[in-house]
Amino acid sequence: MPQGITAGQERAGADALRRAALLQSVPEADDTTPLAAQLAEDSRRRIRLQGAKFDRPTETRIFTIANQKGGVGKTTTTVNIAGALANGGLNVLVIDNDPQGNASTALGIDHHAGVPSTYDVVIEGTPISEVVQECAAIPGLLVVPATIDLSGAEIELVSKVARENRLRTAVEAYLHWRSHEGLDRLDYVLIDCPPSLGLLTINAFVAAREVMIPIQCEYYALEGLSQLLNNIELIRGHLNPNLHVSTILLTMFDKRTNLAREVADEVREHFPLETLAATIPRSVRISEAPSYGQTVLTYDPGSSGALAYMEAAQEVAARATQTNHDTSAASAEEDNR
């Protein structure tokens, strides 16, 4: 073994060579055979993503997944990106901040009435450490569930002191508690929001540093987006100056249709830096998975939908690494001056 190269690095190099050889063995297919092309692309994705481990960010990244338009895949994106990041070896927390509790359902988390939940955290001030549950199907994934009690939280929050900051205070206290207890640092916190701009969503915006916006590749895709961006600017100006839209994910994408391609082109034109290269296809498997209390990653890990979410999560993690490198380079350049 060459001097200075560890056994782990040697194995990683061998794995990379093996994957490169497998990728070359996958036959090419063109648009004249769309099914064959899709199968070939899925094969390449499986080879690239099998056993992939993601780099840890230098600090905990806190995302709010939001879009005022309903039915665009907010909850689906939250649970599947979270699951993919955890599968990539990272420590992830999902906070279900939607009274419907769909994220809790999809992750197989108990959230019937009376279960300690986001309601207790936001309204009663219960520490997240007393509420959080482990996702049995995905190691490294923790969940703060939502129960039906959360449906009344909007009204109850009105009379609370520092009502917009209650979730942020709880998240910061939990991160500090984990450090004090000697537990591994969380790499990602993902907050799922209801499709409205009430006090629950404002709490999520104030608690987060980054916003991820799923955009459906349909006719009304950009409807309401300008209002959402205006609301984010208001939050930045008055409550959370660190908040910014870092990620846009195209969902329900069907590349066979002109409409989907046109919507994708328009989104990329307006948000070239924020929009991920990975897109999430319209998929029956993605839709079926929650009814079994699973993400698509555990329900059908080889499906196009699961592979697409793994690709998207890999890109999110890689962007954090690139940002860290850019920041370090900028700091070094500033020091040299």
Side-chain angles (χ1 to χ4, degrees):
M1 184 185 303
Q3 187 176 1
I5 298 179
T6 66
Q9 290 172 325
E10 188 176 29
R11 284 195 299 271
D15 287 343
L17 289 174
R18 187 173 66 254
R19 289 184 187 181
L22 286 171
L23 284 169
Q24 289 182 347
S25 69
V26 178
E28 295 292 335
D30 55 34
D31 292 339
T32 61
T33 55
L35 180 57
Q38 184 63 57
L39 291 172
E41 178 57 28
D42 285 350
S43 295
R44 294 189 189 93
R45 284 174 166 177
R46 290 188 191 96
I47 293 167
R48 286 196 303 265
L49 296 169
Q50 185 177 19
K53 296 299 178 185
F54 304 153
D55 291 334
R56 299 188 70 185
T58 55
E59 61 179 359
T60 303
R61 298 179 71 189
I62 306 175
F63 280 88
T64 284
I65 290 78
N67 192 326
Q68 289 168 217
K69 187 176 185 302
V72 300
K74 289 187 300 298
T75 298
T76 302
T77 293
T78 301
V79 299
N80 285 295
I81 290 290
L85 290 169
N87 282 342
L90 304 178
N91 298 312
V92 184
L93 171 67
V94 169
I95 299 177
D96 191 349
N97 198 38
D98 186 343
Q100 296 180 77
N102 290 334
S104 304
T105 299
L107 293 170
I109 300 296
D110 186 16
H111 65 109
H112 62 78
V115 169
S117 67
T118 308
Y119 173 86
D120 299 275
V121 172
V122 173
I123 300 300
E124 305 296 340
T126 303
I128 288 178
S129 58
E130 298 179 14
V131 172
V132 72
Q133 299 182 38
E134 295 183 6
C135 178
I138 305 176
L141 180 56
L142 302 172
V143 184
V144 175
T147 65
I148 193 64
D149 297 332
L150 197 59
S151 58
E154 294 277 1
I155 297 173
E156 295 182 61
L157 275 170
V158 172
S159 61
K160 295 292 183 181
V161 175
R163 59 191 181 189
E164 300 93 351
N165 293 282
R166 297 180 72 84
L167 185 58
R168 174 167 67 182
T169 300
V171 170
E172 289 176 350
Y174 180 60
L175 296 178
H176 178 74
W177 175 84
R178 287 183 66 91
S179 176
H180 183 266
E181 293 294 314
L183 299 173
D184 284 345
R185 170 174 59 84
L186 288 176
D187 298 304
Y188 287 84
V189 177
L190 275 63
I191 308 172
D192 186 35
C193 292
S196 62
L197 191 71
L199 281 170
L200 286 175
T201 302
I202 291 174
N203 262 267
F205 281 142
V206 174
R209 300 184 189 118
E210 302 179 52
V211 181
M212 180 184 295
I213 305 177
I215 295 182
Q216 183 181 8
C217 293
E218 297 289 353
Y219 181 72
Y220 294 113
L222 301 179
E223 186 179 83
L225 185 58
S226 60
Q227 184 60 49
L228 174 61
L229 296 175
N230 289 337
N231 290 332
I232 291 172
E233 282 304 310
L234 288 173
I235 299 292
R236 280 170 53 87
H238 295 88
L239 296 168
N240 183 4
N242 296 319
L243 186 68
H244 64 285
V245 177
S246 67
T247 309
I248 291 176
L249 178 62
L250 296 169
T251 63
M252 305 180 197
F253 178 72
D254 186 349
K255 64 183 177 183
R256 298 171 300 177
T257 66
N258 290 332
L259 176 61
R261 291 196 296 270
E262 289 168 3
V263 170
D265 290 343
E266 186 174 2
V267 172
R268 294 188 194 283
E269 180 182 349
H270 284 87
F271 307 98
L273 299 179
E274 295 84 358
T275 307
L276 297 180
T279 58
I280 308 303
R282 186 177 292 279
S283 166
V284 173
R285 291 302 198 195
I286 293 176
S287 302
E288 287 176 345
S291 64
Y292 292 89
Q294 298 183 54
T295 66
V296 71
L297 302 169
T298 55
Y299 178 64
D300 190 354
S303 65
S304 296
L307 296 170
Y309 271 115
M310 280 295 293
E311 269 192 335
Q314 187 177 52
E315 193 173 350
V316 169
R319 285 182 170 205
T321 304
Q322 183 61 46
T323 299
N324 294 337
H325 289 165
D326 291 346
T327 302
S328 299
S331 300
E333 184 177 349
E334 187 67 27
D335 292 342
N336 291 333
R337 290 176 184 173

